[in-house]
Amino acid sequence: MARLLVFVLLSLPLIGAYAIFSLGLVVIYRASKVLNLAHGAMAMVSAYLFNAVSEAGLPLFAALPVAVAAGGVLGWGVERLFVRPLRTVSTTAQTVGTVAAFGLLVAGAGKIWGTGGHGATRVFPEGQITIASSGIRYGDLGLFFVMLVVSAGLYVLLQRTGVGLAMRGAADNPRAASLMGVNPQLATSGAWVIGGSTAAVAGILLAAVTILHPVVLSLQAVPALVAALIGGMGSLPGALIGAAIVGGTQGLVPALPSLQRIEGSAQLLLTLLALGVMAARGERYVATDVRGGAL
Amino acid sequence: MSAAAESVAAAPAVKQREWRWVGNPLVLLLVAFVLLFPWLPFVSFSLLGTANLAAYYAMVAVSLVVLTGWVGQISLGQAGLVGVGAYVTGHVVRGLHVTFPVNLLWAAAAGAIVAIALGFVAVRVRGLYLAVATLIFSWMASEFLFRQRWFIKNAEVTLKPFGDPDAFPYFDWTSRRTYFYGAWAVVAAAVYLMANLRDSKTGRAFFAVRGSEVAAASMGISVVRTKLTAFAISGALAGVAGNLLLIRDQVITADSFKVEVSLFFLAIAVVGGLSSLGGAVAASILFAGLNEVFFRVEAFAGWLEVVPPVLLTAVLLLYRGGLAALGEAIQRRISPWTDKVSVLLRQRVLPAIAGAATGARRTVASAVRRAGEVPAESLNAEPEPRTPLRRRLPAPIASALARIPTSRTIPTQPRLDLDAVVASARPSQNGNAPHPVETVEPSAPSTDVALPSGAPLTWRTIQLPPVSLAAAREDRPILIEAAGVTVRFGGLVAVNNVSLTVREHEIVGLIGPNGAGKTTTFNSIAGLNEPTEGRVFIYGHDVTTWTVDQRARLGVGRTFQAIQLLPQLSVFENLLVATHVHNESGLLSHLFVGPITLAAERDGRRQVRRVAELLELEEYLDRRVADLPFGVLRMVEVARALVSGARLIMLDEPASGLDNNETERLAQILRFVRDLGVTLLLIEHDVQMVTSVSDYMYVLEYGALLAEGTPADIQRDPRVIAAYLGEEAEPVLEEASA
């Protein structure tokens, strides 16, 4: 039992990071119907920026807001440069646009900070607390608690104020939304800023407990995508549940001796689960997605 | 979007391919260059390696063109499929000693099977889920599958097992020259097969599904089957690419199939123009060539990773047509002089060697074009009936195939024989055969609607005897029967116990105020929503649970309120898509342009021309749909339903968006279509139009049937008048319809 508890504790940071990522993915998806494949890359660049300004001597309380704001700007910029210009073509093209953003961010980060990985500046103090004779680092616990704060904040912002409604309206019917006094472009940009800054938070905290690496960190958003998918792609609580399943599976599988021996068995299980969720949903036809282009 | 980019958007068109390039000096030079490439003095060992890398890229890019460019399904996991192909090749080479040309089939099968498995999941949900599914698959493959001992133990293939020097065929893959010819031959074969596919029934189904799934289904195209076909083909090509990779490197590592590699492959395809085969190959050469350049030029060192995303971004934002559009632009520039040289070549030089070349030019387009050169009588002759392969199978196999539960056996109605109808038409006064044609003035006695003053309306038509309308309504067979149809959306009862019948050779109008449940009733009959209660019968079959495409195969065509045509294709190409149901050719025949495909293509083109002639759309046939006015497009949709051979056409608000003249013309065309032997059901807002054109009418109010009867009865019915205009407004309606 104590052994199981250890693995639960070990999965907490994963759950925290995946939850923040998938919340951001869902916010962006709801506001612009685009799958942001550049999400992890945005987080990665923010983490590198945080590391750079910290190493330049900026204290934590100043470096953190700077990097998170940079993440928001990044989100705004990706939407502005890679998604909005392709709105008239198709959502397919917009998704390819985020692939381009992913490529540019990863390649750019590699060019500036090198393609090798290294440790990042800690946000939470070094050290660990010991539970059941095994340690969990403050950074891991912190990541989980920050996730709780971020989700509570998003819940209040999106469900208790008009902001979330405006964002969804802007995506579903921009013209009707603008008649109701919502600036659809502003609402969409807002969603991307939220997505970008939360991604920055997750990226900074995750880099501190894992590794700062252009590709590795960027691909940490893939499990979050699985989580968002399991949660139904459009629901914030769903994203949280999905993240708990994905992070929990990755943390707990090593606890089961039979699965431990198979490398990647957690990924296999999650893939089967995600495909199963997809197969269980079902809608018949899409009216049309071509708005004029080949893409 | 620039004009060039738009023209490329039309590139996947089922256009009649011109084979001018056979005599094009540039092309001849290019072919010679490729064939001699490995022997050219400046071609170094490393440059040859780059050319070989390009072949691998090209194979993957072509696989993406089919799936993403043509069907519109993004794959973010192509590297995973390539990996499956590569590792499976290792297994069959080392375990089963299957050598080169044959092991390609194994790799293709492995890629196809995995792609179909993914597709089965993705087709069930709409939107970007395939993209997610493929991304997740790629993630799982690199974290799990490509790390399992049993799967990757044969990842290292020494050169020997690839061939026994005494055996035939033997390929010495240690030679980069051998690989160059082998790999590029495979790529050329793939491009040839895919080009054939693009111009076939399957290719048209791809574009139709990408454009509008509802419209595709309404033409009898099974959306699920079409997507699965595309997944399978794309997976097979990716598997073959894996095979090429293994032969090239002799040893493979999972690093070649990481998630980000899939994104790189997507970048290649997009830079190529995404829907162009030639563009995909060109982009592959470009990306492989970049390796060479960055390897050689010291100043560029370290920038190689930056270039693909920069190129992808540039193409997406600035020049969406990609290399394909660039190629077309260049071709337009230089065509004046290449044409001159090619004429010269063709008249003087080629005849000598043409014999062999002509034999190779067996493609849909050239064959159809040649068919156009034969005398008209033989063109009009019935195409010789050919039995599709599956009908020629031994009985046990055929019956086993028929039992496969994936496709419900739909008793396809015979196609409406327009030729027979036209042949029975009244000869015109001046008797100009073969198509009796005369001008009908708007005031012709056959129409009983007052014309709006305005541009004179002339429409030449064949005078058809009013089909069996003479028979009493009750004596004519029932084609559509909705029996007690109720549709509930949650607590809302949209349609409440509505029963209606549509009988052969009549136009039935379904009207009602806004929110009366017209569209819901219509959709229940069309197959877009299943009634909560009640049954729907079409041609006597209980179709209540049938899908849209199954109903279409039964012989039902339809038009849409919001036009659902493929904007980038020409009217001709759009109409050709509708020949789907009665085109019996199969996938293999499409790939190799078999005789069944040729016969079916010829027949389909004839059908399109016949309908275009009947509805007077010839002048628009080669125009792009996006460039045509709305009124014409409405006629094109009617024509499309007619091309499908349906004897039953459902029209969703056909007059919406049309002006008075166009509405009048539409009414004439609908009557004409009825006289061709077609039965029509329309829902419509324009009461005047419906009453003028219908033979029988149903009126809905608040989801329930309010009245039914002939237009004259309906116009007099006080309940209808009340529902539409309020109690006292009776005279207005009388005036309007007078």
Side-chain angles (χ1 to χ4, degrees), chain A residues 35 37 81-82 89 92 103-104 111 215 219 225 229 263-264 271 275 278-279 282-284 286-288 292 295, chain B residues 74 76 121 124-126 129 132 135 140 143-144 147-148 211-213 260 274 302-303 309 313 317 320 527 568:
Chain A
L35 206 62
L37 296 170
L81 286 176
F82 296 93
V89 185
T92 306
L104 278 183
K111 197 69 209 136
V215 178
L219 290 181
L225 204 59
L229 186 81
E263 197 178 354
T271 300
L275 296 181
M278 261 195 245
E283 290 165 81
R284 258 191 194 164
V286 193
T288 176
L295 272 167
Chain B
I74 308 181
L76 300 173
V121 174
R124 298 184 55 86
V125 281
R126 58 179 211 169
Y129 285 93
V132 187
L135 183 67
M140 185 275 287
E143 299 285 328
F144 167 75
R147 295 178 184 207
Q148 304 305 308
S212 162
E213 296 189 355
E260 60 268 30
L274 201 49
W303 286 93
T313 307
L317 299 181
R320 210 160 301 131
Q568 303 300 332

Side-chain angles (χ1 to χ4, degrees), chain B residues 97-109:
Chain B
H97 302 290
V98 180
T99 53
F100 172 61
V102 184
N103 62 26
L104 288 174
L105 296 178
W106 284 79

Side-chain angles (χ1 to χ4, degrees), chain A residues 19 26 92 111-112 182 201 210 217 229 252 258:
Chain A
V26 167
T92 306
K111 197 69 209 136
I112 298 170
V182 173
V201 170
T210 58
L217 198 51
L229 186 81
L252 289 176
S258 53

